[in-house]
Amino acid sequence: MARARAAGESGMTTTRVRFAPSPTGLLHVGNARTALLNWLFAKKHGGQFLLRIDDTDAARSTKEFETAIYRDLEWLGLSWDASDRQAGRLAKYSAAFYRLQASGHVYPCYETEAELERQRSLLAARKLPPIYNRAALDPATRQKWEAEGRDPHWRFKLSRSKVRWTDLVRGTVEIDTATMSDPVLVRADGAFLYTLPSVADDIDMAISHVVRGEDHVTNTAAQIEIFRALGAEPPGFAHCSWRGGAGGEALSKRLGSLSLAQLRDDGLEPLAVAAYLAKIGTSDAVEPRQTLGELAGEFDFGKIGRAPAHFVPEELDLLNAKTLHILPYAAVKDRLRFHDEVIGQGEEIWNVLRPNLTRLSDAGDLLKLITGPVTPLIEGDLAARAAALLPPEPWDEASWGAWTKAVSAQTGAKGKALFHPLRLALTGAEHGPELKKLLPLIGRARTLARLEGKSA
Ligand code: GLU
């Protein structure tokens, strides 16, 4: 089948990438980053992003996890141009397998798991790498096993030579396939393992670049040989490395396996999570963005370092707050609970409240500072004296300055002695949004009541 040419090569270019999760668990932050990098790369180049559900492992794949993958990607804002499931494409893998069989690239093996395990421990005892010994290629041995009626599993016969590619993240990578075991493509029960279906799909779906975790680097060497054995030019590759946390192994494992669902339940902004995952491990600063499109525009594999990206929850928290501080009302209004109570003023209120948010869910509490009821805290007689000086409405941002100036002139209070009692009376709290902006929204009636010590 003709393949789309990879971006960056001469002639027409089509960038087509795929995110290929196995529905055997929830998407964790590391997978989510892989999905995002694929998506950003596709958008940057006006290409396509496909979602491929790798569910050939029938025993471990579930519909629930598959549904959760769709939900989590949607939450993050990543839409896909097409999706498919490997379980529905088995005939394609059989066809690819028969081609490899016909061209002599695969061979049947009959060792049991226990026999293979024994071989590996013998090699380990001699301090040799656990590479499969190709005993099944010996005709006499093979005949003996066949006579015993054993069912074969099938291995791909690696070339045992150097495979080279220019990785978009790691630069030139060279792996000698003599250092690897021939990969098993089909199990004795006839089930396909991941290696061949992935290549068959990448060819069939005209994938231009495979963007995935660095744990697949060795697979890539074998898969490049399989692409070629199937008569296809291998796609481009980018292997991104990833590590949770900056601490030791255990912490790193725990953080790296945090699920996206946990972040959502924790009330984090999808855009903050996306900006964080897009920027860590790159030469760009971790700063908030208003849209995924901005992140796509800035995306470049050249900015991604070879060193693992560290996921640090405290940094994500900080970015979440910074993201809220720049998000326009339109981006949050459907999720804000205060919608009905403030018709017409929603945007104004949002702009006043957002600099004080660390989670969107805090907005409801902050809104109460405006709509009430607030239980004022009255210290001394300043509030009562200030009440007498409240100007008439209409109020704007200048009203606060004019009013407090008059209060200061009348009472002699200045600085903290002036502003602190007024904040306590108006908001019932030590800290909060800027009073000059809050005042016009609170309005004269509620302001007066609070200054008089009444809940309003
Ligand atoms: N299902 C594989 C995984 O989740 C896909 C790897 C790939 O992108 O090829 O690791």
Side-chain angles (χ1 to χ4, degrees):
M1 148 157 308
R3 290 196 50 253
R5 239 180 297 188
E9 289 173 18
S10 56
M12 293 285 291
T13 59
T14 306
T15 301
R16 246 165 105 83
V17 294
R18 84 298 193 277
F19 173 53
S22 304
T24 53
L26 289 174
L27 276 192
H28 59 72
V29 280
N31 299 139
R33 177 169 180 255
T34 301
L36 179 71
L37 298 182
N38 270 289
W39 190 92
L40 295 173
F41 180 59
K43 295 296 148 187
K44 169 77 182 249
H45 296 286
Q48 288 173 325
F49 170 77
L50 312 187
L51 174 59
R52 186 184 88 200
I53 303 291
D54 281 7
D55 56 355
T56 48
D57 184 346
R60 291 175 59 229
S61 301
T62 73
K63 264 283 158 210
E64 287 71 27
F65 285 134
E66 184 184 329
T67 308
I69 288 168
Y70 301 140
R71 181 199 60 199
D72 290 347
L73 291 178
E74 275 164 8
W75 176 75
L76 200 57
L78 308 186
S79 49
W80 46 94
D81 297 295
S83 71
D84 211 340
R85 295 171 47 235
Q86 289 195 321
R89 301 172 55 82
L90 299 178
K92 303 229 178 232
Y93 312 145
S94 296
F97 175 75
Y98 293 137
R99 284 186 63 187
L100 293 176
Q101 208 176 28
S103 56
H105 282 96
V106 290
Y107 62 99
C109 298
Y110 298 83
E111 294 89 341
T112 62
E113 196 38 58
E115 285 165 350
L116 290 172
E117 187 50 52
R118 199 159 47 244
Q119 271 179 32
R120 285 192 288 262
S121 27
L122 286 174
L123 289 170
R126 292 164 56 204
K127 303 219 175 336
L128 292 171
I131 301 170
Y132 174 60
N133 62 13
R134 291 186 167 173
L137 285 179
D138 171 52
T141 314
R142 178 175 162 178
Q143 264 172 22
K144 180 175 107 16
W145 281 328
E146 275 173 352
E148 286 172 23
R150 296 190 186 197
D151 287 327
H153 55 275
W154 292 80
R155 290 188 190 257
F156 179 80
K157 193 160 173 262
L158 291 168
S159 68
R160 295 203 162 166
S161 62
K162 289 187 174 126
V163 172
R164 227 175 265 114
W165 74 92
T166 306
D167 197 282
L168 290 172
V169 172
R170 303 170 72 82
T172 303
V173 181
E174 186 179 271
I175 293 182
D176 188 344
T177 57
T179 63
M180 300 161 55
S181 292
D182 291 334
V184 175
L185 302 188
V186 183
R187 289 194 321 212
D189 65 2
F192 286 102
L193 292 172
Y194 151 80
T195 310
L196 177 62
S198 183
V199 173
D201 283 341
D202 289 339
I203 295 172
D204 195 48
M205 296 174 182
I207 296 302
S208 65
H209 297 80
V210 168
V211 179
R212 58 188 176 188
E214 105 188 296
D215 48 326
H216 284 287
V217 166
T218 317
N219 280 341
T220 296
Q223 287 183 325
I224 284 178
E225 291 203 354
I226 299 174
F227 274 104
R228 295 194 173 130
L230 288 170
E233 192 50 39
F237 286 93
H239 292 90
C240 309
S241 62
W242 167 262
R243 204 162 90 94
E249 209 39 41
L251 176 73
S252 160
K253 233 180 146 166
R254 189 166 57 78
L255 294 178
S257 62
L258 262 181
S259 69
L260 214 53
Q262 277 168 286
L263 301 185
R264 182 182 52 235
D265 294 347
D266 192 19
L268 289 165
E269 290 305 299
L271 198 55
V273 173
Y276 187 66
L277 294 178
K279 296 300 181 191
I280 50 171
T282 75
S283 51
D284 283 346
V286 175
E287 289 297 342
R289 295 288 181 270
Q290 287 190 331
T291 62
L292 288 175
E294 285 173 67
L295 291 171
E298 296 158 1
F299 182 81
D300 187 348
F301 276 116
K303 295 179 180 175
I304 301 182
R306 289 191 53 166
H310 282 182
F311 178 86
V312 182
E314 295 75 18
E315 284 175 14
L316 174 55
D317 269 339
L318 193 66
L319 188 65
N320 194 71
K322 287 182 171 182
T323 301
L324 287 167
H325 303 170
I326 62 163
L327 276 186
Y329 183 56
V332 292
K333 80 176 208 239
D334 294 340
R335 291 184 294 141
L336 281 174
R337 299 250 170 80
F338 62 68
H339 215 48
D340 292 342
E341 304 160 56
V342 293
I343 296 179
Q345 276 185 305
E347 180 156 16
E348 227 178 316
I349 292 181
W350 170 250
N351 289 340
V352 172
L353 301 186
R354 68 181 183 177
N356 288 73
L357 298 175
T358 54
R359 290 281 191 278
L360 188 69
S361 55
D362 301 338
D365 282 343
L366 286 182
L367 177 68
K368 289 216 181 81
L369 298 179
I370 295 167
T371 57
V374 163
T375 307
L377 290 171
I378 303 294
E379 259 182 11
D381 65 353
L382 189 99
R385 294 174 72 188
L389 295 167
L390 267 185
E393 286 182 312
W395 286 353
D396 59 21
E397 273 192 32
S399 309
W400 168 260
W403 174 46
T404 52
K405 209 165 155 200
V407 176
S408 181
Q410 178 94 186
T411 61
K414 279 195 179 60
K416 194 170 181 220
L418 172 65
F419 299 122
H420 190 242
L422 291 179
R423 176 175 287 283
L424 290 180
L426 293 180
T427 68
E430 296 276 348
H431 305 285
E434 272 190 276
L435 285 168
K436 75 170 186 202
K437 291 185 175 164
L438 273 184
L439 195 71
L441 294 168
I442 296 172
R444 197 172 192 283
R446 277 191 293 258
T447 301
L448 188 61
R450 292 178 195 176
L451 291 169
E452 289 168 348
K454 294 178 207 143
S455 175

